[in-house]
Amino acid sequence: MEKEDLKVLNKGEEEEMELQGYRLCRWRLALVGLGVLCTGGFLLLLLYWMPEWCVKSTCTRTTARDAEVVLLRSTDEFRRWFLARVRVMLAPGSNPFHSLETQTTSPSSPSPPSCPFSSPASPPLANGHTPHPSDGSPAQELISRFADYQPTQIRYFTFHSTKYYWNDEVQNFEVLTGLEDLQISCSSLHSEHGAGLTRNQQEYRRLFFGVNEIAVKVPSVFKLLIKEVLNPFYIFQLFSVILWSADEYYYYAVAIVFMSVISIATSLYTIKKQYVMLHDMVAAHSIVRVSVCRANNDIEEILSTDLVPGDVIVIPSNGTIMPCDAVLVSGTCIVNESMLTGESVPVTKTNLPNPGPGERGEEAVSAYNTEEHKRHTLFCGTNVIQTRFYTGELVKAVVVRTGFSTAKGQLVRSILYPKPTDFKLYRDAYLFLLCLVAVAGIGFVYSIVLSIMNKVPAKTIIIESLDIVTITVPPALPAAMTAGIVYAQRRLKRIGIFCISPQRINICGQINLVCFDKTGTLTEDGLDLWGVQRVENGSFHLSEENAYKENLVKSQFVACMATCHSLTKIEGQLSGDPLDLKMFEATGWILEEATEEETSLHNRIMPTVVRPPKQLLPPQPAVSPEQDVELYELSSAYEIGIVRQFPFSSALQRMSVVARLLGEKRMDAYMKGAPEVVASLCKKETVPENFAEVLEGYTKQGFRVIALAHRRLESKLTWHKVQNINRDHIEANMEFLGLIIMQNKLKPETPGVLQDLHRANIRTVMVTGDNMLTAISVARDCGMIPPKDTVIIADAIPPHDGQAAKITWRYADKPTKTSRLEEVNISLEDVCHVDEPKTQELYHFAMNGKSFAVIAEHFPDMLQKLVLHGTVFARMAPDQKTQLIEALQGVDYFVGMCGDGANDCGALKRAHGGISLSELEASVASPFTSRTPNISCVPSLIREGRAALITSFCVFKFMALYSIIQYISVTLLYSILSNLGDFQFLFIDIAIILLIVFTMSLNPAWKELVSRRPPSGLISGPLLFSVLTQILICLGFQTITFLWVRHQPWYTVWMPLTDVCNLTSHINMSDHNDTEIDDHNIQNFENTSLFYVSCFQYLIVAIVFSKGKPFRQPSYKNWPFVVSAVSLYVFLLFIMFHPIDSIDEFLEIVCVPFDWRLKLLLIIVVNAAVSVVVEGVIDLRGYKCLSRLCCPRKMMPKARYMHLAQELSVDPDWPPKPTTTTEAKPRPENGSTYQIMINS
């Protein structure tokens, strides 16, 4: 049925959603309105909490095309609901990229109204955004200007700062991203979009793309307040307060209101502060004045907020902060991209190649894409430091994306609308609360039945039965749960770890696998030159320590080292890639750049010049005084000018330059890059035969190896031709020059930290962009792979020429004794957390990014087995790092990620706990940022996470018991139509509970990481068993007290004149108490006895539940808690054995004989002893006993990775043997299967 159509938005992307269309229905609206009135507004609240109920109760289903309201549901594991209103805007056309010119009114030029908003090819790319353009003026004005055009109705809705427009062609809502929607080729970007837009075109496009601004609106305090107050818990508190006021418990009501106000105020303050911080970070440079080229070659200055995709902007020579994403079409720029990548190394951006019609058309035909062409793209928020240009030619860039569609906009959106962190603790907390509500329900029914039997008035019945509910579900719970996290955050701050997502601290306590980036994280950031190994006549020389020698100064090898880099001078300082810097410094040469004045004098870019220092040049024959000194200097000058750079590309794994030696006619091409790549582009005869062995020798030792190559260019290649030539022409038929060997030292802290993590049974994985063998070598050096373990390299080949995809397995280091591989023990964490040593893993998988991609696509079930033992993932692209994290989470690992922010943003955000070691703005993406630039922060974070998690459990158990103890007291007192007094409640809730809760959370983390992990949820055997036994103990002792007091010889029903203490203190209070008895019957012997016993029970339970080792420091080191508990004990014993009239009167306690007080003390002491002993037994024996009860036979492990490891431990074909091949057999019904074939 067409009406029931379900559309999918952003298909295959992170923000994929299902969409259903609805139309408002008048009679349903009227019915809901009536319901809201009848329920006193409660129905409105329910509809606010449940968007899907709201839409379904007020609207009827319709097609997405005619919808007035859309109901969206995320397709991820959270399945969240959202609703959005569909708006209609009038515009002179329906496609922002169509040209609307007033001069042309011929039917060919304007777009017919039925035309969709974007070209049919437009893919649903990343999300765009526009603040809603006012439907009135701009559109109206344009429509009047284009009077010949039929105004078109355009339907759209805004969700998460992104506008979705209805597209008739695909019959769905789509996002307008920018120029990329047109699938535009590089050559047409120059030819069709290089001229700029007219003002009319710009205004017309702005209707669709909106204002170019990343607007982080800081909500007003009132808005935030309403949102915060409408939280279900605060509504429950409001209900409690109204109920207590009706029952005249004013003091406690005021106390709860006071607590709630403080809690809401602090919450509002932190939320507002985060918004303001984000707003300031974004707004700092979002609005600047920019020069725009108009279609008639005019240059006009406008505000950056008016930019639209297609505008051509001029980049000022002194630099600027980019207000949008734009692609360079002329000139070059040096940019600091630390805001996006975390690396403060300046990057050189060159103009987008513009191949002429006659040249090879691959580049020209390929569609422009920001990811593929990022070397030519200036991203929003990045800082252009300086520009280089031709005379009379400006540095120009075409705006590609604006507003929230830009790279920075996406980053800000991910912060504004984060994915909820799904954690068992929070789900269990809700389940636990439901159990408490069920208990409350029993009490509710019990009190109603009891009251009816005793003919209590209806008002009292309602109030007292509802009161039971407020006692069982403690209104102070949210504040209590937050306290532990806040304290942990403060402790982390002290050790230099900053946190922007405090809820994640608890999740860090569960981490059992940590991924590390290599460069800058495990190893030092910079590289040191270890040596060089030159090649002459197709064979290697012996390795030399440096190239700083007189006899080498004019060699091609040194010339390549001196020219093949992207270094530049910024304020007199050489800056650029650290590797390039080290390589250039090793030559001892000098780099000189043309100044701006010089550049503008010439009709082309003045090349950067490099030359050796005078003392390195071989001595010249002595000069006779007659000879012209100037002429001599000219002849002895040795300078190389860099004519053109092809910047380093991680996809190509190489960079090259075209240079010319002063006085030479022909130019030279120099190239450096990954040895395998460079060797493949060189003439066979110039590459030494033992190249592979020499290279492997270095990489196995953990060196970073870079190969150099050179080629004399043909004399017909003029300066101008070189500027427009494709790099493939240059990078071919090179001569191999040799290798540069760089050393990447481990940071001194690395091995120790990894050892600590291994000891704590936390797996460590390396994810790097570096070479595979170097990565394996570093993994061995730092102890990630123990010396005796085998490394199995998985080489996957994608399907080609009709052959299926296959994986070839080869063993690194070719272990001598393969026999020991036959009995492989896969380490398995014991199912029921038994603290036993693990068996040692004997093999590790290693693979590169290409293999990872092939395996993920063609062997999805194999990927899960590989990540179980995958330790080294090399040459991984940033998005592959994120996919790896997802694959690990897919087998139920709790994954931590530690990187220096450079290209780890996605992975840092996706992991359960991501720690960025860079303090740059990229750290905004990561939940944690460490000030110490090494990995020692990882164990600290896990320790604090474990402490915070255990604290949460302690607080939750304590709060649950506090409710149940109070519930037991009240239920027992209801049976004699009594209750606890207002001030008794107040004393328990404020003096005991709050004081204890806020101090019991202060225990710091334990000094070292232990191998045991804390339970992940509240609903785990030992935890529930502990709570249930304590409940039974408290119930038992309160019941004993209640029954025993009534069997005392002196017991009578208490009256104001009753005196069992032989004291006269109460006689003069008779007038005061007359009214009280009639109302609440609070003063009696049962009440006083239960009050004493229950007060001590709260303290006993608090001490029993305050666990120390192995995750937190012991409670006696937490002095605020000790002081609070001791003071309360002293005070309670004091008022019990030394009654003071004023306190007794305040707490409505009656006097009881001394021998009964001693009996009460006995009950309390026995209760304490039983509680402590039982909890101790559960702690020591609980795990083992419960595991025997829960899993008498071998129970299936909960986590998927344990389950897989169990399967693999009995699989005879696992791990794969060396030189075997695994081939994918396509079987559509259940994904991929594979068979292992043995190569003969």
Side-chain angles (χ1 to χ4, degrees):
M1 179 179 167
E2 203 209 347
K3 280 209 167 194
E4 297 297 307
D5 65 341
L6 187 75
K7 302 287 183 194
V8 178
L9 297 183
N10 308 326
K11 201 176 175 75
E13 290 180 37
E14 200 179 344
E15 286 203 347
E16 190 177 88
M17 287 178 296
E18 292 163 356
L19 175 143
Q20 300 166 17
Y22 283 87
R23 193 170 223 138
L24 285 169
C25 170
R26 292 226 175 101
W27 63 266
R28 287 192 183 199
L29 271 170
L31 268 179
V32 168
L34 194 68
V36 170
L37 283 173
C38 297
T39 55
F42 186 67
L43 180 62
L44 197 64
L45 265 178
L46 266 181
L47 297 182
Y48 169 77
W49 292 330
M50 309 277 195
E52 77 275 23
W53 290 9
C54 178
V55 172
K56 286 173 182 172
S57 60
T58 56
C59 306
T60 50
R61 269 305 286 270
T62 179
T63 56
R65 188 204 168 112
D66 305 322
E68 293 173 10
V69 175
V70 289
L71 185 60
L72 305 164
R73 191 178 195 184
S74 64
T75 53
D76 55 18
E77 66 271 33
F78 305 107
R79 306 287 287 158
R80 292 172 298 159
W81 293 93
F82 305 96
L83 64 92
R85 287 292 302 269
V86 177
R87 299 176 187 277
V88 177
M89 139 176 120
L90 284 175
S94 56
N95 183 334
F97 297 114
H98 280 190
S99 102
L100 294 180
E101 282 306 315
T102 26
Q103 304 90 302
T104 36
T105 46
S106 63
S108 61
S109 164
S111 57
S114 63
C115 166
F117 74 82
S118 71
S119 73
S122 84
L125 276 158
N127 297 307
H129 159 79
T130 45
H132 172 55
S134 51
D135 291 342
S137 58
Q140 244 30 75
E141 198 183 301
L142 266 172
I143 285 168
S144 60
R145 200 179 302 166
F146 297 103
D148 302 317
Y149 294 85
Q150 182 70 37
T152 313
Q153 278 201 351
I154 288 162
R155 308 174 69 81
Y156 69 93
F157 67 88
T158 306
F159 173 71
H160 281 183
S161 302
T162 304
K163 257 195 183 179
Y164 292 83
Y165 287 91
W166 177 256
N167 183 347
D168 258 340
E169 198 138 311
V170 293
Q171 286 291 304
N172 199 352
F173 283 95
E174 285 192 347
V175 176
L176 276 180
T177 315
L179 274 189
E180 284 172 289
D181 292 345
L182 291 173
Q183 296 276 297
I184 194 164
S185 69
C186 294
S187 54
S188 63
L189 234 171
H190 280 277
S191 57
E192 292 166 30
H193 298 270
L197 303 175
T198 61
R199 201 166 302 149
N200 283 346
Q201 281 175 319
Q202 192 190 37
E203 283 176 29
Y204 171 56
R205 280 190 194 180
R206 205 177 317 130
L207 281 179
F208 293 87
F209 292 103
V211 181
N212 171 34
E213 187 178 18
I214 301 170
V216 178
K217 291 193 180 73
V218 178
S220 64
V221 175
F222 180 71
K223 249 189 189 169
L224 284 173
L225 181 71
I226 297 296
K227 206 172 170 185
E228 191 70 19
V229 169
L230 292 183
N231 180 330
F233 227 98
Y234 288 123
I235 297 296
F236 175 68
Q237 285 188 338
L238 183 70
F239 160 73
S240 307
V241 166
I242 294 168
L243 188 72
W244 293 326
S245 305
D247 202 9
E248 294 167 19
Y249 289 175
Y250 299 117
Y251 297 101
Y252 188 43
V254 168
I256 280 289
V257 166
F258 177 69
M259 263 177 51
S260 301
V261 165
I262 287 182
S263 162
I264 290 172
T266 50
S267 174
L268 285 188
Y269 172 73
T270 51
I271 294 172
K272 178 98 177 167
K273 193 172 148 197
Q274 277 185 339
Y275 268 114
V276 170
M277 266 174 59
L278 189 61
H279 176 267
D280 292 350
M281 181 196 114
V282 173
H285 312 288
S286 62
I287 303 177
V288 291
R289 293 200 74 81
V290 286
S291 302
V292 178
C293 299
R294 289 275 170 242
N296 50 5
N297 283 339
D298 285 352
I299 287 186
E300 184 185 331
E301 207 172 80
I302 59 167
L303 279 177
S304 61
T305 45
D306 293 340
L307 290 173
V308 294
D311 267 326
V312 175
I313 56 173
V314 177
I315 312 288
S317 56
N318 56 350
T320 180
I321 302 264
M322 287 301 294
C324 56
D325 285 0
V327 57
L328 263 181
V329 284
S330 67
T332 55
C333 291
I334 291 159
V335 187
N336 182 343
E337 290 193 327
S338 63
M339 188 256 141
L340 285 183
T341 62
E343 283 193 357
S344 52
V345 173
V347 187
T348 305
K349 301 275 181 172
T350 56
N351 55 333
L352 190 73
N354 183 16
E359 293 185 49
R360 248 183 55 194
E362 189 189 317
E363 183 103 11
V365 176
S366 71
Y368 167 76
N369 174 313
T370 42
E371 193 48 48
E372 262 174 61
H373 298 96
K374 64 176 177 215
R375 282 283 164 188
H376 315 295
T377 308
L378 303 168
F379 292 104
C380 178
T382 58
N383 187 357
V384 178
I385 304 167
Q386 62 185 50
T387 59
R388 304 256 186 88
F389 49 90
Y390 308 88
T391 320
E393 259 202 58
L394 299 165
V395 178
K396 291 184 193 172
V398 178
V399 177
V400 185
R401 296 196 277 198
T402 57
F404 274 97
S405 300
T406 60
K408 184 177 180 179
Q410 295 289 20
L411 181 66
V412 173
R413 276 186 66 242
S414 69
I415 299 164
L416 277 177
Y417 312 106
K419 262 193 172 178
T421 42
D422 175 43
F423 188 41
K424 213 157 165 269
L425 175 71
Y426 302 116
R427 275 176 297 167
D428 288 357
Y430 285 118
L431 273 174
F432 214 87
L433 280 177
L434 283 176
C435 298
L436 289 179
V437 170
V439 172
I442 298 165
F444 182 71
V445 174
Y446 160 81
S447 65
I448 289 179
V449 171
L450 205 70
S451 305
I452 292 171
M453 283 164 64
N454 287 308
K455 299 189 175 57
V456 176
K459 182 192 170 197
T460 317
I461 293 180
I462 292 168
I463 287 176
E464 299 218 320
S465 47
L466 285 174
D467 203 18
I468 278 269
V469 178
T470 66
I471 284 169
T472 324
V473 183
L477 187 65
M481 291 289 281
T482 321
I485 294 177
V486 171
Y487 295 147
Q489 196 176 354
R490 212 180 287 161
R491 285 196 299 270
L492 283 172
K493 200 169 178 177
R494 244 177 265 144
I495 54 173
I497 299 172
F498 299 94
C499 168
I500 57 167
S501 166
Q503 296 300 337
R504 295 232 186 182
I505 298 176
N506 273 344
I507 303 177
C508 288
Q510 280 298 315
I511 286 175
N512 52 5
L513 181 147
V514 187
C515 296
F516 292 98
D517 179 41
K518 182 180 80 72
T519 315
T521 304
L522 297 172
T523 60
E524 297 286 1
D525 226 340
L527 291 153
D528 294 320
L529 186 82
W530 178 84
V532 297
Q533 191 149 11
R534 292 182 301 123
V535 168
E536 268 179 31
N537 308 326
S539 61
F540 279 114
H541 279 251
L542 291 173
S543 61
E544 300 157 273
E545 218 168 287
N546 61 28
Y548 192 81
K549 292 183 184 154
E550 285 183 10
N551 60 338
L552 291 180
V553 77
K554 291 192 175 181
S555 66
Q556 297 292 6
F557 188 88
V558 172
C560 185
M561 282 175 75
T563 55
C564 197
H565 52 69
S566 55
L567 299 178
T568 179
K569 274 198 171 162
I570 295 172
E571 290 168 6
Q573 283 291 313
L574 263 188
S575 75
D577 186 300
L579 184 144
D580 287 353
L581 262 173
K582 276 278 185 296
M583 182 180 78
F584 184 73
E585 282 166 7
T587 61
W589 284 37
I590 297 155
L591 180 134
E592 289 172 354
E593 276 182 344
T595 60
E596 271 181 42
E597 294 77 46
E598 285 178 286
T599 308
S600 52
L601 288 174
H602 296 72
N603 64 344
R604 58 187 190 200
I605 297 182
M606 281 289 287
T608 300
V609 172
V610 291
R611 57 183 177 78
K614 286 261 172 31
Q615 61 271 28
L616 263 187
L617 287 167
Q620 295 284 327
V623 191
S624 59
E626 301 89 73
Q627 276 180 307
D628 190 340
V629 177
E630 246 181 66
L631 197 71
Y632 158 70
E633 278 194 357
L634 195 67
S635 68
S636 67
Y638 184 80
E639 284 186 0
I640 302 176
I642 300 166
V643 179
R644 172 133 195 232
Q645 272 183 15
F646 296 100
F648 176 79
S649 148
S650 45
L652 301 173
Q653 296 183 7
R654 62 179 185 263
M655 81 160 283
S656 52
V657 293
V658 176
R660 176 189 265 159
L661 181 63
L662 189 72
E664 282 279 333
K665 286 277 186 297
R666 285 162 72 176
M667 298 191 196
D668 296 276
Y670 295 105
M671 174 168 72
K672 78 163 195 291
E676 306 89 344
V677 176
V678 172
S680 69
L681 296 170
C682 288
K683 296 178 192 157
K684 278 272 187 327
E685 63 273 15
T686 65
V687 181
E689 284 173 19
N690 59 344
F691 166 75
E693 294 93 84
V694 171
L695 176 62
E696 197 169 325
Y698 285 125
T699 49
K700 272 186 191 168
Q701 293 172 55
F703 291 118
R704 171 105 179 254
V705 184
I706 288 151
L708 306 181
H710 157 257
R711 168 181 157 210
R712 293 295 302 270
L713 295 177
E714 305 81 40
S715 49
K716 65 175 186 196
L717 275 178
T718 60
W719 186 92
H720 215 82
K721 277 186 183 165
V722 166
Q723 292 309 319
N724 297 312
I725 199 167
N726 197 315
R727 73 188 287 171
D728 299 350
H729 287 300
I730 301 285
E731 296 170 343
N733 290 325
M734 311 280 278
E735 285 176 25
F736 194 76
L737 291 177
L739 305 172
I740 296 180
I741 300 105
M742 314 287 272
Q743 194 174 20
N744 194 193
K745 294 190 182 116
L746 277 180
K747 286 186 178 172
E749 302 81 3
T750 300
V753 170
L754 292 178
Q755 209 173 347
D756 290 348
L757 293 173
H758 280 292
R759 245 184 260 127
N761 281 345
I762 295 171
R763 244 188 84 189
T764 51
V765 169
M766 184 191 295
V767 195
T768 173
D770 206 345
N771 170 297
M772 164 100 76
L773 290 169
T774 306
I776 292 173
S777 153
V778 171
R780 285 201 185 278
D781 287 350
C782 65
M784 208 177 258
I785 300 176
K788 288 185 178 170
D789 290 10
T790 311
V791 177
I792 305 170
I793 297 176
D795 280 327
I797 303 153
H800 63 98
D801 306 337
Q803 290 185 328
K806 55 181 182 216
I807 309 172
T808 313
W809 309 95
R810 57 192 177 88
Y811 282 31
D813 305 346
K814 307 178 186 70
T816 44
K817 295 200 299 217
T818 39
S819 59
R820 68 143 190 236
L821 259 166
E822 300 311 318
E823 70 290 303
V824 171
N825 295 324
I826 296 192
S827 79
L828 225 198
E829 220 167 308
D830 202 81
V831 181
C832 298
H833 284 289
V834 184
D835 219 358
E836 288 166 1
K838 280 184 165 188
T839 47
Q840 181 58 52
E841 299 178 10
L842 292 176
Y843 64 91
H844 302 258
F845 288 110
M847 68 189 80
N848 60 23
K850 282 179 189 160
S851 300
F852 179 80
V854 172
I855 294 169
E857 190 180 342
H858 299 283
F859 302 85
D861 39 0
M862 170 74 87
L863 184 65
Q864 295 200 330
K865 295 181 181 181
L866 289 177
V867 295
L868 210 63
H869 282 275
T871 304
V872 175
F873 295 86
R875 294 269 187 246
M876 296 286 272
D879 56 324
Q880 288 179 326
K881 291 187 179 186
T882 313
Q883 285 164 15
L884 172 67
I885 302 270
E886 283 168 354
L888 290 164
Q889 289 171 336
V891 290
D892 297 341
Y893 275 112
F894 280 92
V895 186
M897 167 81 198
C898 181
D900 54 357
N903 39 10
D904 312 315
C905 278
L908 287 167
K909 243 183 10 215
R910 167 66 59 216
H912 290 108
I915 318 177
S916 159
L917 299 185
S918 100
E919 279 195 71
L920 294 148
E921 286 179 76
S923 61
V924 173
S926 160
F928 301 95
T929 307
S930 166
R931 201 179 261 164
T932 44
N934 59 57
I935 61 167
S936 59
C937 56
V938 175
S940 307
L941 180 66
I942 298 174
R943 280 188 302 111
E944 285 298 347
R946 288 178 172 189
L949 189 58
I950 291 297
T951 300
S952 296
F953 289 149
C954 292
V955 168
F956 211 96
K957 283 159 70 178
F958 175 67
M959 291 303 274
L961 258 119
Y962 143 62
S963 323
I964 299 288
I965 293 171
Q966 205 168 53
Y967 170 76
I968 294 167
S969 309
V970 171
T971 314
L972 288 171
L973 290 173
Y974 271 12
S975 69
I976 57 161
L977 300 185
S978 175
N979 198 348
L980 288 172
D982 197 356
F983 287 104
Q984 291 176 336
F985 273 128
L986 196 66
F987 174 75
I988 291 170
D989 288 22
I990 305 289
I992 300 183
I993 303 305
L994 288 189
L995 197 60
I996 291 296
V997 152
F998 288 123
T999 55
M1000 82 190 292
S1001 312
L1002 283 167
N1003 288 31
W1006 186 243
K1007 296 184 288 290
E1008 57 199 47
L1009 271 179
V1010 291
S1011 58
R1012 197 169 109 194
R1013 284 209 339 274
S1016 60
L1018 281 163
I1019 301 176
S1020 64
L1023 255 156
L1024 282 181
F1025 193 54
S1026 154
V1027 170
L1028 287 172
T1029 48
Q1030 293 300 335
I1031 288 176
L1032 291 174
I1033 292 165
C1034 293
L1035 174 68
F1037 283 99
Q1038 281 204 46
T1039 313
I1040 289 168
T1041 310
F1042 183 73
L1043 297 173
W1044 199 8
V1045 70
R1046 308 187 75 163
H1047 287 89
Q1048 293 304 310
W1050 45 264
Y1051 177 82
T1052 60
V1053 174
W1054 192 85
M1055 302 294 285
L1057 297 170
T1058 309
D1059 178 16
V1060 292
C1061 302
N1062 308 320
L1063 293 169
T1064 53
S1065 60
H1066 288 278
I1067 294 169
N1068 55 7
M1069 282 164 53
S1070 57
D1071 309 336
H1072 171 75
N1073 282 321
D1074 270 342
T1075 51
E1076 300 249 341
I1077 299 150
D1078 303 338
D1079 265 8
H1080 293 298
N1081 179 24
I1082 281 164
Q1083 287 183 311
N1084 54 51
F1085 298 123
E1086 291 90 342
N1087 168 299
T1088 300
S1089 306
L1090 283 179
F1091 174 71
Y1092 280 136
V1093 171
S1094 65
C1095 280
F1096 278 104
Q1097 281 183 337
Y1098 299 125
L1099 293 173
I1100 291 164
V1101 166
I1103 287 168
V1104 163
F1105 284 161
S1106 273
K1107 298 272 168 54
K1109 269 175 75 172
F1111 303 118
R1112 304 198 304 165
Q1113 298 275 4
S1115 290
Y1116 59 79
K1117 287 193 176 177
N1118 175 359
W1119 64 264
F1121 175 67
V1122 173
V1123 170
S1124 309
V1126 169
S1127 317
L1128 284 165
Y1129 270 122
V1130 170
F1131 176 74
L1132 285 170
L1133 286 169
F1134 178 73
I1135 61 168
M1136 195 164 132
F1137 285 102
H1138 192 285
I1140 296 168
D1141 289 350
S1142 55
I1143 292 178
D1144 285 2
E1145 195 181 316
F1146 178 74
L1147 290 172
E1148 296 175 80
I1149 298 171
V1150 299
C1151 187
V1152 290
F1154 188 76
D1155 66 329
W1156 176 240
R1157 289 180 217 162
L1158 287 174
K1159 285 174 185 167
L1160 282 179
L1161 183 64
L1162 177 72
I1163 290 172
I1164 289 157
V1165 169
V1166 174
N1167 183 345
V1170 172
S1171 287
V1172 170
V1173 168
V1174 168
E1175 186 69 13
V1177 167
I1178 291 173
D1179 257 8
L1180 284 173
R1181 301 267 170 265
Y1183 284 112
K1184 286 180 180 166
C1185 300
L1186 279 164
S1187 61
R1188 287 202 190 98
L1189 286 169
C1190 304
C1191 41
R1193 291 180 308 285
K1194 265 287 181 207
M1195 193 182 95
M1196 281 315 285
K1198 277 188 199 158
R1200 220 183 129 79
Y1201 67 88
M1202 297 182 188
H1203 173 69
L1204 269 170
Q1206 266 189 6
E1207 279 180 14
L1208 294 179
S1209 61
V1210 292
D1211 183 346
D1213 291 332
W1214 197 260
K1217 304 286 179 285
T1219 67
T1220 55
T1221 305
T1222 304
E1223 200 167 284
K1225 287 198 295 186
R1227 208 189 280 161
E1229 62 270 17
N1230 63 344
S1232 78
T1233 57
Y1234 46 81
Q1235 65 178 31
I1236 294 183
M1237 303 177 309
I1238 297 183
N1239 294 359
S1240 44

